[in-house]
Amino acid sequence: MGMTDISFPDMRGKLTQNRPLADLTWLRVGGPADYFYQPADADDLAAFMKTLPADVVVMPMGVGSNVIVRDGGLRAVVIRLGRGFNTISCEDGIVTAGAAALDAHVARKAADAGLDLTFLRTIPGSIGGAVRMNAGCYGAYTADYFISADAITRTGEQVTLGPDDLQFAYRQTALPDGYVITAARFAPPKGEAEALHARMEDQLRKRDETQPTKDRSAGSTFRNPAGFSSTGQADDRHDLKAWKVIDDAGLRGATLGGAQMSPKHPNFLINTGSATAADLEALGEMVRKKVYDSSGITLEWEIMRIGEK
């Protein structure tokens, strides 16, 4: 069945056909999605998923901070959660955030309430993605504070998932294909609001000194081979950091077409302005090959690559 033959139900959200995705990703590359749906709320999304034929691929997309959409685009229905899904509340020590809420906003709002989710402050994504990828920074991970998430299954059931359902690991979870996370709950440690805000300012300053925050990137390109996040501590081991093995292979600043490994931080893949998705992915693959040749380490992508070449 071709994507064009789908008859869509009555819905309250907004459906767009052949929606270009480049402007929705941090790297600003990629072809169109056959269909693009912005649901009004969780009930609307559940009804929408229930009526979609089972063979149609459904792909949730957050703020596009950790993804390369290939130049051929997606034969799929891309689901993007918007205003109906970005509320944040802090009650009785529990932070509840909609999946579209930005990580940075959640960290700030939690700090206002004297709750420590400061590690989220510098992670460039939304909460749905943070849960899905077990985002982490400074030795802390989403999994450490996670209680549960609300999700909608591919067949339109509304379910609640606990840590056992998600099986958190380094930069991954067992979230089934086609599930869309709509909200998540966390139980963070308590802290003093002023001190938490001060720590986040410090983290931002450090980040801006060491990372190409002004360039078009998608955050860290490859997972750290050791399987853990930077802790930010003085005794942090760098020998098994992705940036270090890339640097040691002489690839800091390496280019291919409009793509470049950032001279400032070699684990950041950047679009210098004219890159295609193919340039970015090919440069990443070249880096993986050369790092393997020089160190025997196989780098794993942290950025998701989706769609058709």
Side-chain angles (χ1 to χ4, degrees), residues 152-278:
I152 292 167
T153 69
R154 177 58 190 83
T155 49
E157 278 91 26
Q158 302 197 37
V159 296
T160 299
L161 306 171
D164 292 349
D165 300 306
L166 288 175
Q167 297 172 32
F168 288 102
Y170 175 62
R171 294 290 181 266
Q172 61 189 18
T173 57
L175 186 75
D177 282 346
Y179 276 47
V180 181
I181 293 170
T182 55
R185 282 166 290 280
F186 306 95
K190 292 185 170 40
E192 201 271 311
E194 216 166 299
L196 296 175
H197 281 290
R199 186 191 309 164
M200 292 190 292
E201 287 306 310
D202 188 46
Q203 288 170 359
L204 282 177
R205 199 167 51 249
K206 278 200 187 116
R207 180 192 69 175
D208 291 344
E209 281 166 13
T210 56
Q211 297 177 11
T213 46
K214 302 281 181 282
D215 294 318
R216 290 181 192 174
S217 87
S220 298
T221 306
F222 301 107
R223 300 171 182 183
N224 287 325
F228 52 78
S229 293
S230 299
T231 61
Q233 302 304 313
D235 61 357
D236 210 357
R237 287 180 55 203
H238 292 289
D239 53 333
L240 282 175
K241 293 293 193 287
W243 74 264
K244 184 79 168 74
V245 296
I246 294 168
D247 210 10
D248 290 349
L251 296 165
R252 182 189 287 262
T255 58
L256 194 161
Q260 181 182 38
M261 299 313 291
S262 166
K264 189 170 186 178
H265 190 310
N267 192 29
F268 279 65
L269 179 60
I270 56 179
N271 176 358
T272 61
S274 58
T276 60

Side-chain angles (χ1 to χ4, degrees), residues 11-15 37-40 44:
M11 48 200 155
R12 289 176 289 121
K14 183 180 176 215
L15 182 73
Y37 191 56
Q38 297 161 281
D44 178 50

Side-chain angles (χ1 to χ4, degrees), residues 78-110:
V78 170
I79 306 284
R80 194 160 197 255
L81 306 183
R83 274 194 292 276
F85 297 87
N86 64 5
T87 52
I88 305 166
S89 67
C90 305
E91 271 172 56
D92 303 327
I94 304 292
V95 178
T96 304
L102 295 178
D103 298 342
H105 291 178
V106 174
R108 287 208 304 259
K109 199 105 185 236

